[in-house]
Amino acid sequence: MRRAHAVVVLRYALAAALAAIAVPFIAHAAFGDDTLATPSAQVFPTRTGIGVTWNPVDASTYRVERKQGETDWQDASGDLASSTTSWVDESLGAGASADYRVVAQTSDTESVTSSSVTATRTTTAPVVGDVDVLALNAAATDLVTWLRDESASPVTASAPIGGSRTLSAGSIKLKLPAFLAGPGTYELTPSQIELTQGDRSCTTSGRLRVTALAYRADLELETMAASLLVYSCAGTDTTAAIEIRFKSSIGYQMLSVTPNPLDAGQVLVGKTSAALPITVRNTGGEPVEIERVELDWNASPEWKVASNNCPVSLPAAASCTVTLTFEPWTHGLFQATLTIYNSAALREEVALTGNGTSLPRPMGVSVSPTFTGHTVRWLSWPTSGGTTTRGYFLHRYVDGLETTRWFPGDPRATWFSTTDANPKPGTEYAVSVVNEVGEGPVGPRTAAPRPTDQIAIVQGEPAAAELAAADLGGNIVPFPGEAGSVKPKEAIASAPDGRTLAYVTNDQERVLWTRQVDPDQLGVPVKLWASPLPITHLSWSPDGSRIAYQAPESGDDGALPCVFVIPAAGGTPEKISCDVANPSWMPDALTLMVVDRRLDGDDRFARIEAKPGGARVSMLPAPAGDSASVRVSPDGQWVAFATKSNVALTNRWSAEVRLSPALDGEVRSINWAPGGDRLLALTSSGRMTRLPVSPLGEMTEWPPSVLGSTGSGATLDMAWQRLGVTIKPTPAVMGPQVSISFDSSALPVGTTFTCEFQGTGRPAAACVSPVTASGLPSWEHTLLITAKEPSGHVTTAVRTFTVDATGPTARVVAPTYDASTAASATVQVAASDHSGVASYDVRYRKASYLSGFGAYVQPWTATTATSVSLPLDAGYEYCTSVRAKDKLGNVGAWSAEKCFSRPMDDRALAAPTAGWTRTSWSAFYLGTATQSTSYGASLTRTVQGKRFYLVATKCPTCGLVAVYAGGKYIGAVNLAAATTQRQAVIPLPVQSTVFSGTLTFTVRSATGKFVQIDGLAVRRS
């Protein structure tokens, strides 16, 4: 093959001539313009001299003037007729040069003169011969070109038209400037060259090297010998050469090299190709000098010149051969260029192409499992072993038997994948690649790892395999036996341990089912509930015990939405509330996040109790808007909801709503990954999109991971299943000593667990079920259980729970008196606690009228009674207190004391003065009394206390008693009353501090007034 090689340009001083060539003759034809136009002159060589031609103007005569050297301009032609447009100067000597100009004159003596042009007459006139050819060397390498090699004769030359002249031979037409000044090298522009071959043409730039040239006096071409290098042509990437001979006596050089390009084809690695001959033929009329033949400097060593019999000079019509070999060391495409340096216009370049081939190398496969099937994938190789890949054999190994399946190659594919819906345990897969050489070795066998996650989907079409699962790459595997089902499935949810699905079928009635779906077993569907009403928005509680769903209040699909909860083991649904929608369990497994429509104004996200009435626990700051699907994150921190083509996130503390990038359709369903670090969104297009979620709730990664279409059906819902831990039900409130059980039966033997009570400052620690902790403060706590399987796979489970570490607040509510003559006191106690009171401890201490309090006595411990009877000794003060224990085991603080006293008998009072009488009667306190009617009679008692109570009789004839503390008057007691009152307890003025000394009671009424003393009560408190 040939490639153009740059040639050094020798520029001649032909500027004026070239300018004249480039500008076509312009006729003077301005209507109504009387000014004489200036002619443009050109020169051209003839065999007998120099020709001058010009464009006609409105002149009556012309003359051609000539100037040689320093002489003046001379009239060379004499007057020429107005119809004359050319003249030949035959008087200029051979080898001489002269300047020429044309003078146009009108009849009224006005004249104009053209610019001068220069010409040189050749020393020897060119010989007219019989060499008549247009020879095109298209340099047809591996580059793009529509030109082809062609040598054609005879050559016809057209008359000048519009400044151009066309040479034609065979299918070649070459349009060049009509006149050239003579031999020399011309750089031509695309406006000066037009090359046509067959039905295609192009304008192009090029270098024209003229060896011999002559025109006739009538402006026809007489003879021409030239070479044209065409630099580029529309639709080509190569340089072409054209040898031009028109009635010339000069021969030309041209080589033809075949084949070009040279394709060695496919050669096995390590083998040598057959001999690859290249024929070099001299298609010109002159010998061609062969300077050298060599491979380009950077040619790969796979190519070698085996032999070369081309002589230094290749005669016309002779040929020679260069033989190559190709020996690839590895598979792949190897290219090189063989260059033949020669004396023709172009050096010849042959593009060499060879393809090293081998059997394909082994290829690995990836096997991704769902719980019931496998997806096998492998790369698509457009080529392998240096050749086109024809296809692949998928090898399947079960119980020592091998089967194969053929997959034709597809160069447009990036991956190949296939599903195995119900493989036996231990099934292995491998792939072998087939190319044009043959089948390569079978790649390594690969078995599916233990499945841990899958995405269960329902498509709602009875004719489709509408109950299916996708691996985390989005590859769909139908459930075994699901194709052709007659009951379209709708809503779907996964149990927290990932081993059971709940879904709804729609076949005349809606039925809620559960079905075990795990790697070990595909169970039989269990019917939980049937309803004529739609059942949607399934949500399985984190403790696995209950399933929440949404259904309309009545048979009207437009009725208020209601939320129901049904035991996962079966039973009757319990209506939580109506005018709420989109239930999603909180991690405490006791409350639900819903869209609450029971409010005036905008709908709100609300946390409600999962029991009848749906009492509102709290509301989120952000409005719910038109939320289509609501899902709470596993840790309860985030609420995700669908809003048109976006997934939105908000939390329990802020009104801020964060949006994902817009997805490819309306978001129909969303699911959290069980680990809480990703969201999965199902759009109306049937595609699932995985969105990463940062701990700060940012969904910033874009583009998200698009798992692909879920199939031909209109997928309605999906559920992320992950085998993991289920934390068993926990009470609404727990004490500071907690014990929480979890079920890990979905995980393999050897799985280890760590537990962390988050926010307590306690580090995560290895744990088993039940996990226990003590001393937790009152608060809402979060337990994080992390399971690490022997394979390294990690799953988590979260439970929020409330700890009540505060004991009940207790109080003594009776007795309410300060002193009493009764022999016992009925002590009544009470307490309050959120968790309920379980029992009481009641204690007392006592002090006599002469001493301080003794130690506490606790006669009642862990009693459930709220009333006890306390025996009282006369002359003592009693102070009682109580504490309570709640049903969580929290013991409250001792209450404030309730104090009261029983009086000492009157016999304990001394009578230092006369006038007192001791008497007895059952109506008296302790059966005795001391009485007097004598003014000034006194009774005394040494005591310690702050509060004192006199026990005496009140009556219509009773008198007055003055009271002295340590001789100081502190008050008087009037015993007169309308009716007689026995054992009346009369408080005396309270002392600011404990008084220790003698109390004196002195009769101060008129003689004859009756004073009857029955006892004295003393209190230190």
Side-chain angles (χ1 to χ4, degrees):
M1 75 193 194
R2 307 181 184 103
R3 191 184 309 274
H5 183 64
V7 178
V8 176
V9 179
L10 299 176
R11 299 182 179 274
Y12 284 75
L14 298 175
L18 291 175
I21 293 170
V23 180
F25 292 147
I26 304 174
H28 174 61
F31 181 78
D33 187 359
D34 294 334
T35 302
L36 185 62
T38 302
S40 295
Q42 284 183 273
V43 294
F44 57 88
T46 69
R47 296 183 68 248
T48 60
I50 296 297
V52 182
T53 184
W54 60 89
N55 59 303
V57 297
D58 191 11
S60 59
T61 61
Y62 298 96
R63 71 175 180 270
V64 178
E65 296 180 345
R66 183 179 72 187
K67 180 178 181 294
Q68 286 185 280
E70 298 300 322
T71 63
D72 292 334
W73 286 98
Q74 303 291 325
D75 183 357
S77 65
D79 288 342
L80 301 173
S82 61
S83 61
T84 305
T85 58
S86 64
W87 173 79
V88 177
D89 181 7
E90 295 182 345
S91 65
L92 185 67
S97 298
D99 294 332
Y100 296 90
R101 66 185 184 183
V102 176
V103 179
Q105 188 164 354
T106 62
S107 58
D108 57 3
T109 71
E110 179 189 0
S111 66
V112 292
T113 304
S114 73
S115 298
S116 64
V117 292
T118 301
T120 300
R121 185 176 178 182
T122 59
T123 56
T124 304
V127 177
V128 176
D130 59 358
V131 181
D132 208 40
V133 68
L134 290 181
L136 172 63
N137 183 344
T141 65
D142 58 332
L143 300 177
V144 175
T145 183
W146 50 267
L147 297 172
R148 65 183 186 279
D149 290 352
E150 183 180 356
S151 293
S153 59
V155 179
T156 60
S158 71
I161 302 175
S164 299
R165 188 187 309 274
T166 300
L167 303 177
S168 303
S171 68
I172 302 172
K173 292 181 180 180
L174 181 62
K175 184 183 290 185
L176 296 172
F179 296 100
L180 300 170
T185 301
Y186 301 83
E187 293 292 338
L188 304 182
T189 66
S191 66
Q192 297 172 295
I193 303 175
E194 182 177 345
L195 173 61
T196 300
Q197 188 175 34
D199 59 357
R200 299 190 67 173
S201 299
C202 71
T203 57
T204 180
S205 59
R207 180 183 300 121
L208 181 66
R209 189 171 56 190
V210 179
T211 305
L213 180 64
Y215 298 90
R216 298 203 308 252
D218 61 0
L219 305 184
E220 296 291 335
L221 183 63
E222 186 170 14
T223 183
M224 184 177 186
S227 298
L228 176 64
L229 284 181
V230 176
Y231 296 146
S232 64
C233 208
T236 71
D237 291 333
T238 63
T239 298
I242 304 174
E243 291 292 340
I244 305 169
R245 299 295 184 271
F246 179 72
K247 298 180 180 179
S248 176
S249 62
I250 300 174
Y252 65 94
Q253 294 181 331
M254 183 164 288
L255 289 180
S256 170
V257 180
T258 55
N260 191 5
L262 171 66
D263 186 0
Q266 297 178 0
V267 178
L268 289 174
V269 172
K271 302 293 183 181
T272 302
S273 68
L276 303 169
I278 296 175
T279 300
V280 182
R281 180 174 289 105
N282 185 346
T283 58
E286 299 291 332
V288 176
E289 301 301 316
I290 307 294
E291 299 173 12
R292 64 185 186 277
V293 177
E294 61 185 28
L295 293 166
D296 57 319
W297 65 271
N298 60 347
S300 56
E302 289 76 17
W303 291 96
K304 293 182 176 61
V305 177
S307 63
N308 175 14
N309 65 4
C310 291
V312 174
S313 179
L314 185 64
S319 63
C320 61
T321 302
V322 178
T323 302
L324 303 177
T325 58
F326 173 61
E327 184 179 352
W329 64 274
T330 186
H331 63 77
L333 183 66
F334 296 89
Q335 295 177 312
T337 301
L338 179 73
T339 304
I340 302 172
Y341 296 88
N342 64 89
S343 58
L346 286 178
R347 68 183 184 190
E348 301 294 328
E349 294 182 345
V350 182
L352 309 177
T353 301
N355 196 8
T357 64
S358 66
L359 289 175
R361 69 180 186 271
M363 174 189 281
V365 298
S366 67
V367 184
S368 55
T370 63
F371 291 177
T372 60
H374 297 158
T375 297
V376 185
R377 303 178 76 226
W378 63 92
L379 281 170
S380 172
W381 287 349
T383 62
S384 55
T387 74
T388 300
T389 299
R390 296 178 58 193
Y392 310 85
F393 281 110
L394 176 63
H395 302 255
R396 185 173 184 264
Y397 305 91
V398 182
D399 297 334
L401 299 177
E402 176 184 4
T403 58
T404 60
R405 180 181 172 190
W406 173 251
F407 291 83
D410 183 354
R412 299 167 299 177
T414 303
W415 289 89
F416 280 85
S417 66
T418 186
T419 59
D420 195 351
N422 192 21
K424 282 189 175 182
T427 299
E428 295 180 317
Y429 307 88
V431 162
S432 58
V433 186
V434 179
N435 65 5
E436 294 177 2
V437 178
E439 181 182 358
V442 178
R445 297 186 186 185
T446 302
R450 176 183 176 270
T452 59
D453 292 73
Q454 73 172 14
I455 301 165
I457 61 174
V458 289
Q459 294 179 321
E461 293 186 1
E466 79 287 349
L467 190 56
D471 61 24
L472 297 189
N475 303 292
I476 307 299
V477 181
F479 280 22
E482 282 300 307
S485 167
V486 296
K487 293 183 178 181
K489 280 90 177 162
E490 296 178 339
I492 194 168
S494 172
D497 66 357
R499 293 194 295 182
T500 308
L501 290 175
Y503 57 88
V504 177
T505 58
N506 181 5
D507 182 25
Q508 297 180 352
E509 65 177 358
R510 273 77 169 190
V511 180
L512 175 61
W513 306 81
T514 60
R515 186 179 188 184
Q516 182 178 348
V517 178
D518 64 27
D520 299 324
Q521 183 177 359
L522 183 62
V524 176
V526 176
K527 184 175 182 179
L528 290 190
W529 186 252
S531 169
L533 305 177
I535 298 174
T536 61
H537 300 85
L538 301 183
S539 181
W540 206 312
S541 65
D543 61 8
S545 65
R546 296 184 289 174
I547 299 170
Y549 65 87
Q550 177 181 319
E553 186 175 26
S554 65
D556 181 4
D557 285 352
L560 289 177
C562 301
V563 170
F564 296 82
V565 169
I566 186 172
T572 301
E574 192 172 50
K575 183 165 74 175
I576 303 304
S577 182
C578 288
D579 215 11
V580 295
N582 294 300
S584 180
W585 286 97
M586 296 294 290
D588 62 359
L590 298 169
T591 57
L592 291 160
M593 185 64 66
V594 298
V595 175
D596 195 339
R597 303 176 177 177
R598 298 173 295 182
L599 304 164
D600 293 334
D602 294 335
D603 297 345
R604 299 293 295 273
F605 293 113
R607 181 180 181 182
I608 65 172
E609 294 181 348
K611 48 189 181 180
R616 191 179 300 115
V617 177
S618 62
M619 287 193 301
L620 269 61
D626 297 326
S627 306
S629 178
V630 176
R631 285 291 179 263
V632 177
S633 63
D635 61 2
Q637 301 300 306
W638 297 97
V639 176
F641 57 97
T643 170
K644 298 183 180 178
S645 62
N646 301 95
V647 175
L649 276 181
T650 188
N651 58 36
R652 295 188 288 168
W653 311 280
S654 169
E656 180 184 5
V657 175
R658 303 179 182 186
L659 293 179
S660 73
L663 305 183
D664 63 348
E666 184 177 353
V667 178
R668 176 176 287 165
S669 174
I670 55 178
N671 260 251
W672 285 92
D677 58 342
R678 286 166 288 174
L679 275 166
L680 193 64
L682 172 66
T683 62
S684 55
S685 70
R687 290 186 178 275
M688 295 184 293
T689 301
R690 190 166 50 204
L691 297 165
V693 181
S694 75
L696 298 178
E698 296 169 341
M699 296 176 285
T700 55
E701 182 180 312
W702 184 254
S705 302
V706 178
L707 304 187
S709 174
T710 56
S712 60
T715 303
L716 299 181
D717 203 1
M718 62 180 179
W720 195 316
Q721 284 182 267
R722 174 176 290 175
L723 300 176
V725 172
T726 299
I727 301 177
K728 294 183 178 181
T730 50
V733 181
M734 305 175 71
Q737 282 62 247
V738 301
S739 177
I740 300 176
S741 298
F742 59 89
D743 180 3
S744 60
S745 58
L747 301 177
V749 175
T751 299
T752 57
F753 305 91
T754 57
C755 296
E756 179 184 4
F757 290 92
Q758 296 182 317
T760 63
R762 305 180 185 190
C767 60
V768 295
S769 179
V771 56
T772 59
S774 60
L776 296 180
S778 296
W779 195 250
E780 184 179 70
H781 291 272
T782 299
L783 169 63
L784 172 66
I785 300 178
T786 302
K788 185 175 182 180
E789 300 178 19
S791 66
H793 183 255
V794 173
T795 57
T796 58
V798 176
R799 173 60 48 81
T800 58
F801 59 95
T802 299
V803 165
D804 179 4
T806 304
T809 300
R811 63 193 182 281
V812 179
V813 297
T816 59
Y817 49 75
D818 293 319
S820 173
T821 59
S824 65
T826 300
V827 179
Q828 294 182 354
V829 296
S832 59
D833 189 89
H834 292 297
S835 303
V837 176
S839 63
Y840 298 90
D841 297 335
V842 182
R843 68 180 183 177
Y844 71 89
R845 60 179 178 158
K846 68 179 182 177
S848 73
Y849 57 87
L850 282 175
S851 63
F853 284 103
Y856 281 107
V857 178
Q858 186 175 319
W860 298 280
T861 300
T863 180
T864 59
T866 58
S867 177
V868 294
S869 180
L870 174 62
L872 304 178
D873 292 332
Y876 282 85
E877 177 186 9
Y878 289 81
C879 287
T880 61
S881 56
V882 64
R883 67 181 179 184
K885 180 188 292 185
D886 64 20
K887 293 182 178 179
L888 300 175
N890 296 307
V891 177
W894 288 102
S895 70
E897 291 182 317
K898 182 70 175 176
C899 298
F900 51 89
S901 67
R902 188 181 184 199
M904 66 186 80
D905 191 23
D906 61 283
R907 295 293 190 271
L909 275 66
T913 63
W916 292 98
T917 303
R918 307 284 189 179
T919 184
S920 299
W921 185 26
S922 61
F924 297 144
Y925 172 58
L926 298 180
T928 66
T930 301
Q931 57 193 28
S932 175
T933 58
S934 301
Y935 179 84
S938 297
L939 293 176
T940 62
R941 178 69 257 176
T942 301
V943 295
Q944 291 180 359
K946 288 177 65 178
R947 292 178 173 83
F948 305 102
Y949 305 86
L950 181 64
V951 181
T953 300
K954 286 186 174 185
C955 65
T957 61
C958 290
L960 183 71
V961 176
V963 183
Y964 301 87
K968 179 181 178 182
Y969 175 76
I970 63 172
V973 178
N974 187 359
L975 299 177
T979 61
T980 300
Q981 302 173 27
R982 305 290 181 186
Q983 302 183 37
V985 178
I986 305 165
L988 302 179
V990 178
Q991 304 302 298
S992 59
T993 60
V994 173
F995 169 76
S996 179
T998 301
L999 283 182
T1000 302
F1001 301 92
T1002 304
V1003 178
R1004 291 301 185 196
S1005 57
T1007 301
K1009 289 287 188 178
F1010 183 67
V1011 174
Q1012 190 176 61
I1013 304 302
D1014 212 356
L1016 175 65
V1018 179
R1019 285 186 55 189
R1020 298 177 65 88
S1021 60

